[in-house]
């Protein structure tokens, strides 16, 4: 299981190549929710997502020969772009397998960053199976989107940004898909701020982590169409599941209508356009009683 030290080492490794995104206090959302709300604006990263952090940390852990031979990943978009962008910057080759229904703009962006894109499968899971097969055939290094300790630690550097900004959070809400983001953040936050509540957010259309935690074992689930496609996965990671079991205080499920309303609220009040997955944390805070009135609350 990863530790705070792993996250700190990742922070030192990637900090010169990753934007220290602002974590801003928002008066409008604070008034709306009754909390002191901060937004961690990871949408301002070069590729528009926190996924860069984990991808870069993993790439840095590989040797030059491994990077030169090539890496491969399966992704519906954000992880793909993070791997492609940093692999090219480091002089390596990247192959990304994406589902056939991946939005065209994400396919174009991934190719723009220098990756070879293979479109196959009806969903992430089928794309993942193809990527694993190709990795074995060609001897490439696979970069998992979430179930990898280097990736988890890289995503966790968000918590060290927040710590460096001196915010002293009392609660932090984090979207959950496979669990890589919340795993890294939770390990670091709970060590730095033991009393801080770590709350995960999933869509009701893909509640794989909440269902697995409730059952005490990983339960693969068939996800349904959702606005929060970035957190719609069939099965959570084995590594991430163990971390969430130990460090995450609660997991909230949000509806599609709540996600849509949160996207619109962020656009209208904060002039910030975010994906459904990113808006899920505001949906949870705005439409569910989490007992956080007056608390310093960070939305990731």
């Amino acid at each position: 299981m990863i530790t705070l030290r792993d996250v700190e080492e990742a922070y030192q490794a990637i900090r010169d190549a990753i934007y220290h995104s602002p974590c801003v206090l928002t008066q409008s959302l604070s008034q709306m929710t009754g909390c002191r709300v901060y937004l961690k604006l990871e949408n301002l990263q070069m590729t528009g997502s926190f996924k860069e952090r984990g991808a870069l940390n993993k790439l840095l852990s590989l040797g030059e020969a491994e990077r030169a031979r090539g890496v491969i990943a399966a992704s519906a978009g954000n992880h793909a772009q993070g791997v492609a962008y940093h692999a090219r910057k480091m002089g390596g080759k990247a192959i990304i397998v994406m589902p056939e229904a991946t939005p065209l703009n994400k396919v174009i962006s991934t190719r723009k960053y220098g990756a070879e894109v293979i479109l196959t499968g009806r969903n992430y899971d089928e794309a993942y199976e193809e990527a694993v097969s190709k990795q074995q055939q060609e001897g490439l290094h696979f970069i998992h989107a979430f179930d990898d300790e280097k990736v988890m630690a890289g995503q966790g550097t968000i918590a060290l940004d927040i710590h460096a900004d001196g915010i002293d959070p009392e609660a932090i809400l984090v979207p959950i898909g496979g669990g890589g983001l919340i795993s890294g953040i939770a390990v670091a936050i709970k060590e730095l701020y033991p009393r801080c509540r770590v709350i995960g957010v999933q869509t009701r259309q893909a509640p794989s982590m909440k269902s697995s935690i409730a059952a005490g074992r990983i339960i693969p689930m068939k996800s349904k169409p959702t606005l929060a496609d970035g957190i719609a996965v069939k099965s959570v990671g084995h590594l991430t599941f163990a971390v969430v079991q130990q460090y995450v205080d609660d997991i909230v499920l949000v509806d599609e209508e709540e996600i849509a309303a949160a996207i619109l609220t962020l656009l209208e009040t904060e002039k910030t356009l975010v994906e459904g997955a990113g808006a899920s944390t505001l949906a949870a805070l705005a439409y569910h009683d989490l007992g956080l009135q007056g608390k310093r609350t960070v939305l990731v």
Side-chain angles (χ1 to χ4, degrees), residues 204-236:
R204 289 190 188 277
Q205 302 294 86
S208 52
M209 184 66 82
K210 186 174 179 68
S211 298
S212 296
I213 293 295
R217 59 186 176 86
I218 295 174
I219 299 178
M221 304 189 72
K222 184 177 180 180
S223 61
K224 303 173 184 177
T226 173
L227 290 170
D229 61 319
I231 53 173
V233 300
K234 177 180 179 181
S235 182
V236 302

Side-chain angles (χ1 to χ4, degrees), residues 10-283:
Y11 193 63
Q12 293 301 319
I14 72 174
R15 64 186 305 174
D16 292 337
I18 295 292
Y19 177 51
H20 182 130
S21 63
C23 192
V24 297
L25 175 65
T26 160
Q27 296 293 344
S28 58
L29 297 185
S30 295
Q31 292 171 2
M32 172 181 156
T33 63
C35 308
R36 191 169 175 82
V37 179
Y38 294 82
L39 296 179
K40 181 60 171 163
L41 299 176
E42 282 293 287
N43 58 316
L44 299 180
Q45 294 294 345
M46 178 65 192
T47 64
S49 166
F50 71 89
K51 289 284 191 176
E52 280 188 43
R53 295 173 181 263
L56 176 57
N57 194 46
K58 180 63 177 180
L59 284 164
L60 288 170
S61 73
L62 305 179
E64 288 186 18
E66 289 177 297
R67 291 196 296 267
R69 186 162 60 248
V71 298
I72 189 167
S75 170
N78 291 331
H79 179 62
Q81 293 173 74
V83 171
Y85 175 65
H86 286 288
R88 184 176 68 173
K89 284 186 68 176
M90 299 172 75
K93 179 181 73 172
I95 298 174
I96 310 294
V97 184
M98 309 179 87
E100 293 171 354
T102 300
L104 181 59
N105 66 310
K106 291 190 175 183
V107 175
I108 292 172
S109 294
T110 304
R111 286 176 172 151
K112 180 184 71 175
Y113 292 131
E116 175 189 344
V117 174
I118 299 172
L119 294 173
T120 187
R122 294 167 295 176
N123 51 44
Y124 167 80
D125 297 290
E126 291 185 4
Y128 173 82
E129 291 174 3
E130 174 63 24
V132 170
S133 175
K134 191 171 183 63
Q135 177 259 329
Q136 294 171 344
Q137 293 170 9
E138 301 188 17
L140 306 170
H141 196 96
F142 190 85
I143 300 184
H144 201 286
F146 50 85
D147 208 29
D148 181 285
E149 290 188 345
K150 292 295 183 181
V151 171
M152 294 156 64
Q155 320 301 30
T157 59
I158 288 174
L160 299 189
D161 274 1
I162 294 168
H163 180 60
D165 291 340
I167 292 171
D168 192 14
E170 295 172 282
I172 184 165
L173 275 67
V174 186
I176 301 179
L181 175 63
I182 197 167
S183 294
I185 288 177
V187 165
I189 284 290
K190 284 295 189 179
E191 292 295 327
L192 296 169
Y193 307 99
R195 295 184 180 180
C196 179
R197 287 185 64 194
V198 178
I199 301 173
V201 183
Q202 290 197 293
T203 166
R204 289 190 188 277
Q205 302 294 86
S208 52
M209 184 66 82
K210 186 174 179 68
S211 298
S212 296
I213 293 295
R217 59 186 176 86
I218 295 174
I219 299 178
M221 304 189 72
K222 184 177 180 180
S223 61
K224 303 173 184 177
T226 173
L227 290 170
D229 61 319
I231 53 173
V233 300
K234 177 180 179 181
S235 182
V236 302
H238 291 276
L239 299 175
T240 61
F241 176 71
V243 175
V244 171
Q245 273 189 314
Q246 179 170 336
Y247 287 99
V248 175
D249 296 294
D250 195 11
I251 299 175
V252 178
L253 300 183
V254 293
D255 297 322
E256 294 300 291
E257 295 80 4
E258 294 167 343
I259 296 171
I263 292 172
L264 185 59
T265 296
L266 287 166
L267 185 59
E268 290 181 338
T269 66
E270 302 300 320
K271 304 300 183 281
T272 299
L273 180 62
V274 300
E275 297 179 357
S280 66
T281 53
L282 176 59

